[in-house]
């Protein structure tokens, strides 16, 4: 993604907040106007005119999730979409391990 124009300061702050929460810039999300090589599945946030726009992009197909003048509403949808896309980058339990850990080895 190339930088079409500099993003608004509040979107830079949103990027920093998402990174503090463990989301990976370029892998989980991008901010329009900040350069990055984006994953094929990301949440995109940016401004179009007076509106904040949050889009879910998968394999080049964009699905607009919200278009609003309310930063807090856009922020809420942005983090909902990130949560839906995946948890922050941290070790995740294996799919076949039940809650509470692996079963005790059989003897």
């Amino acid at each position: 993604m190339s930088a079409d124009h500099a993003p608004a300061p509040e979107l830079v702050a949103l990027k920093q907040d998402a990174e503090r929460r463990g989301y990976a810039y370029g892998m989980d999300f991008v901010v329009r106007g900040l350069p990055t090589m984006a994953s094929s599945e990301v949440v995109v946030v940016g401004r179009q005119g007076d509106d904040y726009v949050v889009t879910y992009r998968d394999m080049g197909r964009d699905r607009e999730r919200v278009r609003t003048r309310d930063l807090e509403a856009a922020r809420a949808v942005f983090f909902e979409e990130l949560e839906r896309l995946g948890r922050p980058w941290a070790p995740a339990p294996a799919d076949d391990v039940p809650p509470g850990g692996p079963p005790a080895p059989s003897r």
Side-chain angles (χ1 to χ4, degrees):
M1 168 177 274
S2 64
D4 348 80
H5 61 284
E10 64 271 19
L11 295 180
V12 173
L14 184 62
K15 174 189 179 286
Q16 294 166 342
D17 187 15
E19 289 173 325
R20 275 191 300 274
R21 294 181 188 206
Y23 294 103
Y25 188 68
M27 287 295 290
D28 296 319
F29 74 100
V30 296
V31 175
R32 288 197 189 281
L34 291 179
T36 188
M37 293 294 294
S39 172
S40 63
E41 183 181 24
V42 293
V43 178
V44 180
V45 63
R47 297 276 315 252
Q48 290 182 359
D50 292 333
D51 294 331
Y52 296 97
V53 180
V54 177
T55 305
Y56 167 73
R57 178 179 296 154
D58 188 15
M59 300 300 290
R61 183 172 174 212
D62 289 350
R63 294 175 186 90
E64 189 172 291
R65 306 312 289 168
V66 71
R67 176 181 297 267
T68 179
R69 292 183 178 197
D70 181 355
L71 174 61
E72 291 308 310
R75 179 183 178 82
V77 172
F78 173 75
F79 281 110
E80 286 170 12
E81 287 298 306
L82 279 178
E83 180 66 23
R84 190 188 62 71
L85 177 62
R87 300 247 181 247
W89 286 89
D95 291 337
D96 60 345
V97 175
S106 56
R107 298 186 190 237

